[in-house]
Amino acid sequence: MPEQIDYTGLEFNDKAIARGRAAGLDIVKQSVQMRAEQAPGQYDVVCSFQVLEHVTDVAGFVRGCVTLLKPGGTLILAVPAQDSFLALDPNGPLNMPPHHVIRWTDQALRNLALRENLSAVETWHEPVADYHQGWRQEVLARDWFVSMGLLGSGVQGRTFMSRVVNRLLRHDGLRARLATWQARGFAYADRGHSVVLVARASEVALGADDPRRQAA
């Protein structure tokens, strides 16, 4: 970032903090809620990338982010997109508890913004990354077997049919063809891993107990 920009990074991992500080970064070992108590209304922008899906106290975390914003400030949140091919992957271990404890659709993000009296400026979906193309293809191809009633829609154990499907999906041509067929019937097939919410705080500062912040 340009040197004239003042910023603060929040982090819990001691090694990450040490590396960041060694690189000249301003990093504090502190939760966003604690920071909000110390520096309410002091930031033009608050960013949280790939964090919210790990947070158990979602309301407290987001409330802290909003409290830190100046009137008219911008909140930017990036999370794994449930409105993407991820929704069709029942066996994605990294998208399950205890790693990810909550999933986010576009509507859930917009509702989150409304709950905090924010204006949802936009939600932006990244395209499918090159290194996720194989994963996406396998997820869509496997979902074809689900749609045909040959596999269950939930977490798939090592049943006879799941082993058969695993073997079939080793064939590149078949996997690609099934994925192409399945993508035609799924509106979010071409959306990548992450979605970004950009929302703006009210131009008028609201107190923590303001009824407009409690409306939702």
Side-chain angles (χ1 to χ4, degrees), residues 50-57 80 94 98-102 104:
Q50 310 301 337
V51 174
L52 194 59
E53 66 273 18
H54 301 276
V55 173
T56 54
D57 180 13
L94 294 183
H99 189 64
H100 291 172
V101 296
I102 192 168
W104 291 97

Side-chain angles (χ1 to χ4, degrees), residues 70-89:
K70 295 178 181 178
T74 301
L75 176 66
I76 307 174
L77 300 175
V79 292
Q82 186 66 6
D83 291 337
S84 73
F85 75 92
L86 295 182
L88 301 179
D89 187 6

Side-chain angles (χ1 to χ4, degrees), residues 95-148:
N95 205 25
M96 295 179 179
H99 189 64
H100 291 172
V101 296
I102 192 168
R103 298 186 181 188
W104 291 97
T105 64
D106 289 8
Q107 186 61 56
L109 287 172
R110 287 191 289 266
N111 289 344
L112 186 71
L114 290 173
R115 177 186 177 90
E116 295 300 330
N117 199 45
L118 301 173
S119 300
V121 178
E122 64 175 322
T123 53
W124 175 82
H125 284 264
E126 69 168 348
V128 181
D130 291 342
Y131 52 85
H132 283 161
Q133 290 290 354
W135 177 21
R136 169 189 175 274
Q137 189 179 82
E138 182 174 345
V139 166
L140 287 168
R142 189 177 301 278
D143 192 62
W144 181 86
F145 289 95
V146 174
S147 68
M148 292 293 105

Side-chain angles (χ1 to χ4, degrees), residues 171-194:
H171 298 277
D172 295 344
L174 175 62
R175 187 177 64 245
R177 179 162 301 198
L178 292 178
T180 299
W181 286 343
Q182 201 64 7
R184 293 171 181 168
F186 183 57
Y188 307 138
D190 293 325
R191 289 180 173 181
H193 175 278
S194 298

